[in-house]
Amino acid sequence: MSESNHPVDLKSSIRTCIMVFAVVFIATASMIAVSFSHVGGWPLKVALILAIAVVNAFFVAGYLMHLLSEKKLVYTVLAFTVFFFIGLMGLTVWATNDFPTGTLNH
Amino acid sequence: MDIPYTVQVRPDTGLYNAKVGIWLFLASEMMLFGGLFSAYILLRVGTPPGEWPHGWLDVRFGAFNTMLLALSAITTLLAWVACKVGDFRKFKFFHACTLILALSFLCVKMYEYHDKWIHYEIELKDGRIADGHLVSRTSDEVVIEGRYVTDKKDLYDLRAQKNLPHDEIRIAPSDIVKMQNYGPWHNTFTAIYFTLTGLHALHILGGCCVIGYLWGPGSKMWKTDHERFTNRVEVSGLFWHFVDLVWIFLFPVLYLT
Amino acid sequence: MQATVQEFPPYREGEAHAHEAHGHHEQPFFTKYIFSTDHKVIGLQYGFVSLCFMLFGLFLMLMMRWQIAHPGVPVPLFGPLLEKVLGQPAAGGAISADLYNSFGAMHGTIMVFLGVVPLAFAAFGNYVVPLMIGAPDMAFPRINMASFHAFFLGGLVMLVSFFIPGGAAQAGWTSYSPLATTIPTDGQAFWLVGMVLLITSSLLGAVNFIATIIQLRAPGMTWMRLPFFVWAQFVTAFLLLLAFPPLEAAGFMQLMDNVAGTSFFLPTGLAIGGHMANVSGGGSPLLWQHLFWFLGHPEVYVLILPAMGIVCEVIANNTRKPIWGYKSLVYSTLVIGLLSFIVWAHHMYMTGMGQKIATFFQATTMIISIPSVIILTCLFLSLWGASIRFNTPMMFALGFLPMFGIGGLTGLPLGLAATDLYLHDTYYIIAHFHYVVAPGTIFALFAGIYFWFPKITGRKLNEFWGRVHFWCSFIFMNVVFLPMFTQGAKGMLRRMSNGGANYSAAQVHNAIDTLPGSVMEMNTWILWGAVALGLAQIPFIINLFWSIKHGEPVESDNPWGATTLDWQTPTPPPHGNFATEPHVVRGPYEYNAPGHEGSFLPQSDPAVTPTPHAH
C-alpha cells in the first residue's frame, strides 16, 4: 500500500483538476493582460507577471503534484534546492552589477 | 533478490524508492533550468537599453500551448487516479489524451520554430534593412514579405509599433551585404529562446516516450504487479508536471516580458 | 545511550538465497561483467576504468613536465611514439605549444572527471555503501548500470578527441570562452559532448546514492549510527546532484556557441586574428565563468569528502578506538555541503568584481574553512591514546592528514581576495590544489584500495611492496609539489608551455622581478620527482594484479577486525550481499568498548548488548 494518508477517488480528483485548470486559465489571461497594459514601466510589469506565475506554479505543484501533502523529506530536499537556486540567480546578478567604476581617488 | 520499499513505503520516510528518486531528479532539473534562466537574466540585463526584443513571439500560440500543457497535466493526474481506483480503461483513455495534447504542443512549437526559420533580416548595400518572411529565393532574386527599416533598432520592439507594413519586397542578390534568418545565431534573445524552449521540448519528447511506453508495452505490468505499475504512472506523472511547471515560467518570461 | 531497533516489516524472509526462485545462477559473460546491475560489479568496473584513466593522466603530466624542464627538446622514449600517433603537433618528438595546451586541459579534465571522482565517489561508493548500510543492492540497479555506461562513453569521447584534426580541447579544464569557442579545433565540441555524458552519469549516480542511503538502511541503522564514510558519500551525492546541472546548461550553451554560431559567451566587438568575428555578440564571458565555478567549487568538495570518509574508516579501524567527535564530523560535513554552493566566485577575484561582492565571497570562503579544520582536527585527535597498527592502509591514511593540512592551509591566502590577486593563476595555485587532491585524496584512495582489497578478493595486497609504494609516493609527491609554492610566490604563471623561460632572468635582461635561475632550476627537480613518482606506481600496479591470484589469503571474513557491516558479509559478498537481513544494534566505531572482551563489537552483532557509556 503506497499512499494511505488520503483516499483517492475519481470524482473529487476531477473537481480539483477543474479548479486548477481554472486557476491556470485565469493566471495566463491576467499575465497577458498585464503584459499588454500600461500599468507602469517594465520592471513593475515583470514583477507582477512573475508573481502571478509563482501563484500559478503553486497551484500546479500543490495540487497536481500533491506537493501540499508531501512528506517532510521531499520538502527538505526542495527547500535546499530553492536556496541554491536563489543563490545561483542572486549572486550571479549581484556579481555582474557590482564592479569598480573608478580608481581609489577619482 | 528483492530490493525493499520498491512498492511498500518505508515507515520512517513514508515514501517508496522511486518517489524519492524522482523528486531528487526534479531537484536537479530545477537547477538545470535555473542555470538557463540565470543565463537569460544576465544576457537581458547586459543588453543595451532598447535592444532587447519585445513582441517577437506570438502570444496567442504561447497561450494556447499553455492551456494544452495544463490540460495534459490534468489528464496525467487523472490517469494515475484511475490506476489507484483500479480502472485500467480510464487510465488508457486519460494517458492517450496526455499524449495527444503533448504532441499537439510540439506541433505548435514546430510551427513557431519554422516561422522564425523563414524570417530573414537582410542588410542591403544602401544601408537599409529588409526584414520579413521568405517567399522565394533564386539566384536572380530574393523575395520576402515584410518591410524596410533604416535603423536596426526599429526591429526590436514590435509591441510598440502598430500596423506594420507587410509588403512584397524583391531584392537582387547583388544588393545584399548580409542575409540571416532568425535562428539561434541571430542575437542573444533568439539564442536563449531556442535553447530554453528546445531543451523544454526535448523534455516533452522524453516524457512522451516514457508515458507512451507505460501506455503501450509497459502496461502489461498492470496484470502482474498493479501497485508497482501505479507507482510508475505516479512517478512519470510527477516528471510531466514538472515539465509543465517549467513552461508556466517559460511562457511569461519569453512571450510576455 | 540506549538505542532502539526500528520496527520494520522484514523485507525478505528466509535463509541464504544461493538458489532462489529467480533462476539465474550462471549468468552469461556479458550480463555478469559488462551489463551487470550488481553494485559490486559496477563499483569494480568504475574502479578499473578510473584507475586506467588516472594512469593516462599521469602520463600526460610527465610529458608536460618534460617540456617545462626542457622546452622544445624531443621527449626521450616517448617522443617517436607521440609523433607517430599525433603527427604534426608532436613533430620531431617534441611537445609543441598547442599540444602542451591540450595535454594540460585534458590532464585536468581526465584526472578530475574521469579519474578521481569516479574512483572516490562511484567506485568506492558503489561497492561499499550498500554493504555498510546493510542493503542488498542500490535502490535503482539498472540506473546504476546506465550511469557506468554513460561514464564510459564520456571517457571514450574524451579519448577520441586526441585523434581528430586540430587535436583535443586546449582551453584548460575550465574551458573559458571566448577562447574555447575560437580555437580552431573540434576538440572543444568533443570535450563538451564528453562532459554532458559525464554529468549525466554523475546525476544518475547521485540520485541512486541518495535514494539508497535514505531508503535502504537496514533496521536499526539510524542516521547517527551510519559510518562516517556513508555520510561523506551522502553529502557528496547532493553536491553532484545540485551543482552539476548549471554546468550542463552552460555546456549546452557553449556547444551551441561552437557549432551553431550563437553568442551566449561571446561579447560584442569580439575580434579574432585581427578581424571582427562573424557572430551576433551580446554575450557574456563572465556568465560561463559563473556557471562553471558554480559547479567547480562544490566539485572540489566532491573530490575531498569521500577521501575523508575513507581515512576516517581506516583510522578508526587501525587505532582500535572510536573516532573522536563523530557528531562534529557529521555536522561539519553537512555545513561544508551547504556552504560550498555560495563560495564559488573566489575563483573569479581577478574578473573585476566590486568590493562588496568580493567581500561576500571572501567571507563565505573563510567560514567554510572552519568545518574543514574541524574534520581534520577530529581525525588527528582520534590518534591520541590509540593503539596504532601501522599497516599499509593506515600509512596512507596517516600520510593524508599532514598533506591535506598543507593543502588546506595554503588555500587561506587564496581565499583572501587581497593576496589572491597576486597568487591567482600562478604555480602557487597548482601546488595548493595538487596537495589537496594528489597526496590528499589519492592517498586516501590508495588507503581504501589496500583496506578493502581483502573483502573484494579474499587476499591481502603485499605489505612490503605496499610500504615501498607509500614511502616512494609520499617522498616524491612532496619533491614535485613543494617547490611549486616558491615558484608561484615568485610569480611563475600557470599554463606556460616553456616553463616560464620567457620571463626568466636568463632571457630578460635588466628587469626586476624576472624568474630567477633558482626558480627555473626547480623545474628540473620537479621533472625527476615526477618521473620517480610515476615509477613508484609500478610496484603498486604489479601488486594489484598479482595479489588477486597470489596474495596472502585472509583467514576470516573480517581480517582487519572491523565493526562496520561491510565486514560482516561473506568474502567476496554474493549477489544480495547478506544472507539474512542485518539488524543494527550499536554505533559504527565500538572498538575496545569498556566491559567487553575482544577489541571490537560489530554493528549488527545482536548477541552482546553494550553497557551504556559516555561519549
Side-chain angles (χ1 to χ4, degrees):
Chain A
M1 30 165 202
S2 326
E3 296 296 319
S4 48
N5 47 0
H6 52 259
V8 173
D9 85 289
L10 204 52
K11 270 205 160 55
S12 73
S13 299
I14 292 183
R15 264 178 293 163
T16 312
C17 288
I18 293 177
M19 185 260 291
V20 173
F21 189 80
V23 168
V24 174
F25 186 82
I26 294 169
T28 309
S30 331
M31 288 192 287
I32 296 175
V34 170
S35 173
F36 281 96
S37 73
H38 302 286
V39 277
W42 271 113
L44 178 65
K45 275 202 213 177
V46 168
L48 214 54
I49 289 171
L50 283 178
I52 300 173
V54 166
V55 170
N56 197 358
F58 177 79
F59 273 85
V60 170
Y63 290 100
L64 297 186
M65 295 172 97
H66 291 122
L67 200 49
L68 282 181
S69 46
E70 250 312 340
K71 302 290 176 293
K72 187 165 152 220
L73 174 70
V74 174
Y75 288 151
T76 316
V77 169
L78 290 178
F80 279 114
T81 311
V82 167
F83 175 72
F84 297 137
F85 184 93
I86 293 173
L88 172 64
M89 303 275 227
L91 290 172
T92 332
V93 172
W94 183 18
T96 319
N97 288 328
D98 185 16
F99 50 86
T101 48
T103 55
L104 196 58
N105 295 314
H106 299 282
Chain B
M1 175 204 69
D2 266 324
I3 297 185
Y5 311 120
T6 319
V7 178
Q8 280 182 318
V9 298
R10 184 180 158 105
D12 62 351
T13 59
L15 298 161
Y16 56 90
N17 297 344
K19 199 152 208 211
V20 177
I22 195 72
W23 276 113
L24 291 169
F25 177 64
L26 293 182
S28 82
E29 292 272 88
M30 267 180 73
M31 298 306 291
L32 178 71
F33 282 99
L36 286 174
F37 274 110
S38 73
Y40 174 88
I41 294 175
L42 249 79
L43 289 172
R44 178 161 175 175
V45 157
T47 312
E51 284 183 30
W52 189 261
H54 290 289
W56 280 15
L57 302 170
D58 195 329
V59 172
R60 295 168 301 182
F61 286 128
F64 181 66
N65 262 354
T66 306
M67 301 323 294
L68 279 181
L69 220 52
L71 202 57
S72 76
I74 283 165
T75 55
T76 301
L77 176 71
L78 292 174
W80 172 71
V81 171
C83 284
K84 285 296 279 183
V85 301
D87 195 334
F88 187 68
R89 286 186 59 230
K90 283 223 168 65
F91 154 77
K92 281 280 213 176
F93 167 71
F94 282 124
H95 255 345
C97 292
T98 307
L99 288 169
I100 293 171
L101 290 163
L103 292 171
S104 313
F105 177 96
L106 286 176
C107 286
V108 174
K109 205 83 213 98
M110 281 205 302
Y111 176 79
E112 287 182 279
Y113 276 12
H114 173 76
D115 180 82
K116 288 274 161 296
W117 204 257
I118 58 168
H119 187 160
Y120 278 87
E121 179 186 306
I122 308 175
E123 277 172 40
L124 301 172
K125 286 206 171 104
D126 60 5
R128 291 183 300 168
I129 302 173
D131 182 276
H133 288 91
L134 190 68
V135 172
S136 72
R137 182 194 208 160
T138 61
S139 50
D140 300 319
E141 122 188 297
V142 171
V143 185
I144 65 167
E145 240 182 55
R147 57 178 176 141
Y148 284 107
V149 293
T150 42
D151 185 0
K152 195 167 159 136
K153 286 203 168 58
D154 290 337
L155 292 173
Y156 289 121
D157 196 342
L158 295 186
R159 286 274 199 96
Q161 300 161 49
K162 303 261 184 263
N163 297 323
L164 291 167
H166 224 74
D167 311 313
E168 190 182 83
I169 297 176
R170 294 176 176 272
I171 303 167
S174 53
D175 289 335
I176 296 176
V177 171
K178 183 176 172 190
M179 180 169 169
Q180 193 184 61
N181 63 351
Y182 278 50
W185 39 78
H186 187 63
N187 63 15
T188 45
F189 173 80
T190 52
I192 195 73
Y193 164 73
F194 276 104
T195 307
L196 267 171
T197 54
L199 193 63
H200 180 257
L202 278 177
H203 279 76
I204 299 245
L205 207 57
C208 283
C209 290
V210 171
I211 293 178
Y213 170 78
L214 287 175
W215 187 85
S219 63
K220 280 198 292 277
M221 195 187 263
W222 175 260
K223 295 204 187 73
T224 52
D225 192 344
H226 74 97
E227 259 194 83
R228 197 162 159 216
F229 182 75
T230 307
N231 286 350
R232 286 186 168 185
V233 174
E234 182 179 15
V235 156
S236 56
L238 283 172
F239 176 77
W240 190 258
H241 291 135
F242 176 78
V243 173
D244 181 31
L245 271 179
V246 172
W247 181 260
I248 282 175
F249 285 99
L250 267 186
F251 167 64
V253 165
L254 290 172
Y255 288 72
L256 300 180
T257 57
Chain C
M1 262 193 35
Q2 257 336 62
T4 52
V5 176
Q6 290 161 283
E7 288 306 317
F8 281 43
Y11 62 68
R12 55 134 70 91
E13 287 88 29
E15 285 301 306
H17 53 268
H19 297 285
E20 271 182 355
H22 291 291
H24 48 72
H25 321 305
E26 278 314 301
Q27 293 174 308
F29 177 85
F30 260 95
T31 323
K32 199 167 173 196
Y33 293 112
I34 311 287
F35 291 104
S36 173
T37 54
D38 185 303
H39 70 100
K40 299 181 289 297
V41 175
I42 293 174
L44 291 174
Q45 286 173 326
Y46 266 113
F48 177 70
V49 173
S50 62
L51 284 170
C52 289
F53 273 116
M54 276 174 63
L55 197 61
F56 182 61
L58 184 88
F59 169 75
L60 291 177
M61 176 272 289
L62 287 171
M63 297 297 103
M64 287 195 289
R65 291 311 318 181
W66 172 267
Q67 165 69 5
I68 290 169
H70 304 285
V73 176
V75 184
L77 218 67
F78 292 102
L81 174 67
L82 284 174
E83 188 173 16
K84 189 148 174 254
V85 169
L86 297 171
Q88 223 292 313
I95 314 271
S96 64
D98 284 341
L99 191 63
Y100 177 89
N101 289 341
S102 74
F103 278 11
M106 296 310 282
H107 166 80
T109 306
I110 287 173
M111 284 305 212
V112 172
F113 295 112
L114 292 171
V116 176
V117 173
L119 185 57
F121 177 70
F124 279 106
N126 261 308
Y127 199 98
V128 175
V129 166
L131 297 176
M132 270 188 174
I133 63 174
D137 203 309
M138 291 287 233
F140 310 117
R142 280 174 300 186
I143 290 185
N144 211 7
M145 178 181 74
S147 146
F148 171 74
H149 285 106
F151 158 72
F152 188 77
L153 221 62
L156 217 60
V157 168
M158 291 286 189
L159 280 181
V160 162
S161 73
F162 277 102
F163 302 107
I164 60 170
Q170 291 161 38
W173 81 289
T174 50
S175 193
Y176 279 8
S177 286
L179 183 65
T181 303
T182 52
I183 294 180
T185 172
D186 287 331
Q188 296 295 139
F190 272 71
W191 186 89
L192 289 165
V193 170
M195 283 305 293
V196 168
L197 285 166
L198 294 177
I199 295 174
T200 305
S201 159
S202 287
L203 287 176
L204 294 174
V207 168
N208 223 340
F209 272 70
I210 298 173
T212 303
I213 294 172
I214 292 177
Q215 294 280 106
L216 299 188
R217 284 166 293 135
M221 181 62 86
T222 59
W223 285 100
M224 293 315 252
R225 281 180 180 167
L226 281 173
F228 178 67
F229 178 70
V230 179
W231 272 110
Q233 292 281 2
F234 182 67
V235 174
T236 305
F238 262 111
L239 294 180
L240 290 171
L241 184 79
L242 298 177
F244 251 134
L247 178 61
E248 187 157 33
F252 280 131
M253 291 193 279
Q254 197 178 73
L255 193 60
M256 287 195 61
D257 275 5
N258 281 15
V259 303
T262 52
S263 295
F264 283 110
F265 307 119
L266 303 177
T268 310
L270 181 68
I272 305 168
H275 305 284
M276 290 300 283
N278 186 17
V279 290
S280 73
S284 167
L286 275 182
L287 176 61
W288 167 264
Q289 292 192 30
H290 280 296
L291 292 174
F292 179 85
W293 287 113
F294 185 82
L295 163 86
H297 195 79
E299 178 68 20
V300 315
Y301 293 100
V302 169
L303 294 172
I304 197 64
L305 285 176
M308 286 169 161
I310 295 175
V311 166
C312 184
E313 299 304 319
V314 172
I315 285 183
N317 179 251
N318 287 299
T319 52
R320 313 309 291 163
K321 61 193 272 288
I323 282 289
W324 196 96
Y326 173 84
K327 279 213 170 112
S328 309
L329 282 169
V330 170
Y331 290 129
S332 298
T333 308
L334 292 170
V335 168
I336 285 179
L338 185 74
L339 284 177
S340 67
F341 282 93
I342 51 174
V343 298
W344 80 84
H346 64 233
H347 298 271
M348 295 168 62
Y349 284 138
M350 288 285 277
T351 58
M353 293 198 293
Q355 276 191 327
K356 293 197 248 336
I357 188 86
T359 309
F360 172 83
F361 280 111
Q362 176 180 276
T364 51
T365 306
M366 287 297 114
I367 294 173
I368 205 175
S369 67
I370 299 173
S372 313
V373 172
I374 291 177
I375 291 180
L376 200 64
T377 309
C378 288
L379 294 175
F380 265 118
L381 285 174
S382 302
L383 302 174
W384 185 263
S387 282
I388 301 184
R389 299 190 307 200
F390 289 94
N391 47 40
T392 307
M394 188 59 165
M395 301 294 287
F396 275 107
L398 290 174
F400 168 89
L401 296 175
M403 297 293 98
F404 176 71
I406 293 176
L409 289 172
T410 53
L412 291 173
L414 301 174
L416 292 166
T419 40
D420 183 70
L421 289 182
Y422 178 76
L423 293 170
H424 178 71
D425 251 8
T426 64
Y427 262 79
Y428 189 95
I429 305 255
I430 298 189
H432 155 72
F433 69 67
H434 277 98
Y435 258 94
V436 198
V437 185
T441 298
I442 297 184
F443 271 24
L445 299 179
F446 285 147
I449 294 176
Y450 284 93
F451 187 64
W452 274 296
F453 190 87
K455 176 51 65 182
I456 299 171
T457 60
R459 294 174 187 273
K460 284 193 177 174
L461 282 165
N462 183 283
E463 229 356 72
F464 172 75
W465 289 108
R467 283 162 201 270
V468 168
H469 179 216
F470 168 71
W471 283 112
C472 291
S473 298
F474 186 81
I475 292 169
F476 294 118
M477 285 277 195
N478 282 286
V479 169
V480 169
F481 295 113
L482 205 56
M484 291 187 187
F485 286 119
T486 311
Q487 290 183 319
K490 275 292 189 186
M492 181 184 275
L493 295 175
R494 287 174 76 168
R495 297 179 171 141
M496 296 194 295
S497 64
N498 59 9
N502 289 1
Y503 301 95
S504 64
Q507 281 196 21
V508 182
H509 303 295
N510 302 323
I512 55 170
D513 279 352
T514 50
L515 297 170
S518 56
V519 162
M520 298 304 290
E521 245 171 59
M522 288 177 186
N523 283 336
T524 314
W525 283 105
I526 294 173
L527 169 64
W528 293 118
V531 170
L533 182 63
L535 291 174
Q537 309 311 309
I538 294 179
F540 170 65
I541 298 172
I542 298 176
N543 195 357
L544 204 55
F545 284 106
W546 185 87
S547 300
I548 293 177
K549 283 285 183 313
H550 305 289
E552 175 200 329
V554 292
E555 295 110 30
S556 79
D557 284 331
N558 191 357
W560 303 116
T563 53
T564 45
L565 289 180
D566 47 326
W567 295 97
Q568 317 308 323
T569 61
T571 304
H575 193 55
N577 300 335
F578 296 91
T580 53
E581 178 189 66
H583 283 259
V584 174
V585 297
R586 58 182 73 92
Y589 304 120
E590 296 295 328
Y591 289 102
N592 280 308
H596 287 283
E597 303 240 333
S599 68
F600 71 99
L601 284 165
Q603 276 198 276
S604 66
D605 180 3
V608 185
T609 44
T611 49
H613 58 271
H615 235 250

